[in-house]
Amino acid sequence: MGPLYTNNSCPLLTQMQNCQGNGRPDKGYENWRWKPSQCDLPRFDAKKFLELMRGKTLAFIGDSVARNQMESMMCLLWQVETPVNRGNRKMQRWYFRSSSVMIARMWSSWLVHQFNEPFGFATDGVTKLKLDQPDERIIEALPNFDVVVLSSGHWFAKQSVYILNDEIVGGQLWWPDKSKPEKINNVEAFGISVETIIKAMAKHPNYTGLTILRTWSPDHYEGGAWNTGGSCTGKVEPLPPGNLVTNGFTEIMHEKQATGFHRAVADDKLGNRSKKLKLMDITEAFGYRHDGHPGPYRSPDPKKITKRGPDGQPPPQDCLHWCMPGPVDTWNEMVLEIIRRDFEGRQSSPSS
């Protein structure tokens, strides 16, 4: 059973994720499929998806990995119908006429309120994050959405200032006053941001949709970070079962994200609304897929370096995003299954 589309049958494919088009020589990574141990995950059925979502809008909100997942969904659906582009500068939107389904994407790096103006002892030019305030653009757009797939995390490695209760409590790659301890580091800030956005969405008076939080997408930079010689060059098969290489940062980010989600769900004020919050946990399963990234095959440039140099230095590469087709397509099979269970569960349950 091969992939449901190819790099040539999907016009909406960011070049960086077009691994075959960029000259990657192996194709096995396109065919491996995750199988849960206690149930069967059906293959993606584009017609079934469009029928289930008839008249509804699905939005992917987050960073570039959210874009990766949205493009995978579009490639899967494109095989049965060519959509109409209804996007603008604020939001990508694609409309499927036969079923009036809209697929949207909003960029939000941290999912919380961000600004650049000076604040306290934080000067102009560094991004400030109000960890206890959701990204207002998301809140404003929510009434237009019926299903939201939310994801974030990787921007917490980038420079920013953390504000809580209108007080500067920490920062990432930023803390000018070394005589004072930081109260919150980037990992804790991530957990707080997740709780903030999930609670705000669940309490929104004009949003009763299904919210799916997709967990931390594992990267596979071995021997260093993305900018210090980390590499996934030459990985052509998934890790064997039981051979997962533990990554301390992935584990703690996943843990803080899940904790933030569960804290939000446990809020007594949510009542029945908490049933519309779903955690889609992909982190451990896709930790095995070190073969699924573009690696050095990030562009079609025929002169690009794809092998280690004589000094053993790896070429520049991407071990964070996912090749398409590739492992990311399974995430959308999971999204479809969560939507199916939610929608069909509601139809079969007696109305209150």
Side-chain angles (χ1 to χ4, degrees):
M1 299 277 267
L4 294 166
Y5 63 92
T6 71
N7 62 306
N8 295 319
S9 69
C10 180
L12 193 83
L13 209 163
T14 296
Q15 190 61 45
M16 198 169 72
Q17 269 90 73
N18 184 353
C19 300
Q20 290 299 306
N22 293 339
R24 182 167 169 172
D26 60 307
K27 283 187 82 138
Y29 67 89
E30 292 185 349
N31 300 321
W32 288 96
R33 201 165 159 272
W34 177 66
K35 186 181 183 317
S37 58
Q38 292 171 351
C39 64
D40 185 41
L41 180 66
R43 267 171 80 81
F44 192 86
D45 182 335
K47 287 182 176 155
K48 167 103 178 170
F49 175 89
L50 292 171
E51 191 48 53
L52 269 176
M53 286 291 293
R54 181 173 289 279
K56 294 183 166 64
T57 297
L58 164 68
F60 291 91
I61 303 176
D63 56 20
S64 57
V65 187
R67 184 203 66 221
N68 202 171
Q69 187 177 355
M70 179 264 194
E71 288 182 359
S72 156
M73 176 64 85
M74 290 301 301
C75 288
L76 291 162
L77 297 176
W78 211 292
Q79 307 312 303
V80 297
E81 184 182 341
T82 301
V84 182
N85 186 349
R86 292 222 175 140
N88 55 35
R89 282 174 64 189
K90 285 185 182 172
M91 197 185 308
Q92 264 188 298
R93 291 191 311 175
W94 295 90
Y95 182 68
F96 291 85
R97 280 209 178 100
S98 69
S99 52
S100 305
V101 168
M102 187 85 81
I103 305 291
R105 180 178 77 86
M106 277 186 80
W107 178 277
S108 179
S109 313
W110 287 279
L111 306 181
V112 290
H113 176 65
Q114 65 175 88
F115 64 101
N116 287 315
E117 296 76 33
F119 183 94
F121 59 92
T123 54
D124 208 0
V126 59
T127 302
K128 332 286 184 304
L129 303 179
K130 289 202 170 181
L131 297 174
D132 46 6
Q133 284 184 28
D135 183 336
E136 62 283 0
R137 295 171 312 117
I138 299 174
I139 300 306
E140 196 183 311
L142 269 185
N144 304 311
F145 304 147
D146 300 282
V147 180
V148 171
V149 179
L150 207 59
S151 54
S152 62
H154 295 282
W155 278 68
F156 281 88
K158 295 180 187 270
Q159 187 186 49
S160 50
V161 179
Y162 303 142
I163 300 166
L164 206 51
N165 299 319
D166 276 332
E167 180 200 345
I168 294 175
V169 289
Q172 169 66 359
L173 304 177
W174 179 92
W175 191 250
D177 188 353
K178 299 287 185 278
S179 67
K180 278 190 201 156
E182 293 183 69
K183 293 179 186 171
I184 283 175
N185 64 18
N186 66 329
V187 174
E188 288 152 343
F190 177 41
I192 295 165
S193 73
V194 171
E195 185 177 355
T196 294
I197 187 65
I198 295 285
K199 270 188 186 166
M201 288 174 69
K203 290 177 179 175
H204 196 297
N206 301 316
Y207 171 68
T208 54
L210 178 64
T211 302
I212 301 169
L213 178 70
R214 195 251 304 135
T215 62
W216 175 265
S217 177
D219 62 61
H220 292 92
Y221 290 99
E222 288 182 15
W226 66 274
N227 56 352
T228 56
S231 164
C232 53
T233 296
K235 308 295 185 197
V236 295
E237 282 191 349
L239 287 158
N243 284 36
L244 191 60
V245 180
T246 55
N247 177 320
F249 189 62
T250 292
E251 284 182 1
I252 189 120
M253 289 297 269
H254 174 259
E255 181 195 319
K256 292 291 179 187
Q257 187 181 32
T259 301
F261 174 84
H262 291 306
R263 271 206 201 116
V265 170
D267 188 327
D268 293 339
K269 293 180 192 146
L270 297 189
N272 263 351
R273 285 182 161 220
S274 63
K275 290 179 181 163
K276 303 291 288 176
L277 304 171
K278 308 287 182 189
L279 187 72
M280 186 177 116
D281 197 334
I282 59 98
T283 309
E284 184 182 352
F286 289 85
Y288 286 93
R289 295 305 309 272
H290 63 176
D291 59 321
H293 304 288
Y297 298 98
R298 303 180 306 162
S299 82
D301 176 7
K303 295 185 179 144
K304 66 179 169 288
I305 304 164
T306 59
K307 300 271 189 292
R308 288 181 183 269
D311 56 355
Q313 274 296 96
Q317 54 197 287
D318 178 1
C319 306
L320 167 63
H321 300 95
W322 303 91
C323 290
M324 291 172 51
V328 66
D329 301 318
T330 305
W331 299 358
N332 288 319
E333 293 178 333
M334 294 165 83
V335 166
L336 171 52
E337 185 63 10
I338 291 169
I339 291 171
R340 185 190 67 75
R341 290 181 185 192
D342 180 76
F343 287 12
E344 292 179 358
R346 261 186 294 161
Q347 285 162 7
S348 61
S349 63
S351 53
S352 49

